[in-house]
Amino acid sequence: MLRYHTLPVTAFAQNCSIVWDDQTKQAAVIDPGGDLPELLATVERLGLKLEQIWLTHAHIDHAGGTGELSRTRGLPIIGPHRGDQFWIDGLPQQSRMFGFPVAEPFTPTRWLEDGDTVTLGTHTLDVRHCPGHTPGHVVFHSPEMKRAFVGDVLFAGSIGRTDFPGGHHQTLIDSITQRLWPMGDDTVFIPGHGPESSFGEERLGNPYVRGT
């Protein structure tokens, strides 16, 4: 079975998720934005072997701890899409702008494209490129768990901001309706901030995408 545990990190309360294969204890961390001691203590408490870093996008609260974690633990960085290269390049500036510890530079081990997959133990998750919040934003979907890790594309009752460089409102709406909704109304999503919800609930009640 594939399992996950989500903990909020950084002053932005970003939902960093640890995903693991319950049999092998092989684990990946999604969006290690910061607070690495807390993150690593949780990995140890759960008895996991952290092997990969997966990034949905490269805003500071999602990617700020990536370079240090990769360097100190020898972990490959998987994602995001190449469209976020300029956000990765600008992480030091983002650090200063938002009062974060200075982010170490990094180069992803593997860029992701729409339709790619990532593997953890005996489990495979699908990758969907969902631009709009950032040009290179990706989403990780586990049909097996009926879970999707959507970063800042969609929230319970809201959607991602599109006023940052590279953001585009209609592109984001298209990503949600064309890439997320086909995953099924019963799919629960883990957003980058705030509580979980399901795609079905958002299609009914989210004022930004209701009825789409």
Side-chain angles (χ1 to χ4, degrees):
M1 179 184 293
L2 201 60
R3 300 183 62 188
Y4 70 97
H5 174 81
T6 302
L7 65 154
V9 297
T10 82
F12 289 8
Q14 191 274 125
N15 286 332
C16 173
S17 292
I18 304 164
V19 187
W20 71 94
D21 181 323
D22 201 31
Q23 272 195 317
T24 66
K25 303 299 183 182
Q26 293 169 287
V29 59
I30 302 176
D31 291 352
D35 297 336
L36 296 184
E38 179 184 355
L39 168 62
L40 292 171
T42 302
V43 169
E44 185 173 350
R45 175 174 59 81
L46 294 170
L48 306 177
K49 298 178 286 188
L50 190 56
E51 295 187 346
Q52 303 177 53
I53 298 169
W54 298 349
L55 293 182
T56 63
H57 66 295
H59 283 162
I60 185 66
D61 54 326
H62 292 255
T66 299
E68 179 182 349
L69 184 61
S70 174
R71 175 181 57 81
T72 57
R73 294 296 176 115
L75 303 177
I77 301 167
I78 312 300
H81 179 279
R82 197 177 295 273
D84 267 18
Q85 177 70 69
F86 77 100
W87 279 114
I88 294 174
D89 295 341
L91 279 170
Q93 181 183 3
Q94 291 186 60
S95 303
R96 293 189 296 271
M97 186 179 301
F98 294 105
F100 277 63
V102 177
E104 292 188 17
F106 64 86
T107 300
T109 311
R110 174 188 168 200
W111 295 104
L112 292 173
E113 301 286 344
D114 188 61
D116 282 352
T117 59
V118 291
T119 302
L120 190 61
T122 59
H123 306 277
T124 299
L125 289 84
D126 299 322
V127 175
R128 298 311 309 263
H129 179 213
C130 293
H133 179 64
T134 70
H137 201 302
V138 298
V139 163
F140 301 99
H141 175 222
S142 170
E144 170 192 358
M145 284 199 299
K146 294 186 181 294
R147 294 293 187 276
F149 300 88
V150 303
D152 287 354
V153 172
L154 180 69
F155 303 113
S158 188
I159 59 175
R161 293 176 59 168
T162 55
D163 56 337
F164 291 128
H168 190 268
H169 178 78
Q170 189 57 51
T171 300
L172 181 65
I173 297 299
D174 291 345
S175 289
I176 293 168
T177 59
Q178 297 173 18
R179 302 281 171 85
L180 299 188
W181 289 171
M183 295 176 188
D185 286 352
D186 59 345
T187 295
V188 172
F189 67 92
I190 299 86
H193 305 268
E196 297 181 2
S197 181
S198 72
F199 293 146
E201 289 175 14
E202 299 311 303
R203 292 182 72 177
L204 284 174
N206 189 312
Y208 295 93
V209 288
R210 184 190 294 128
T212 56

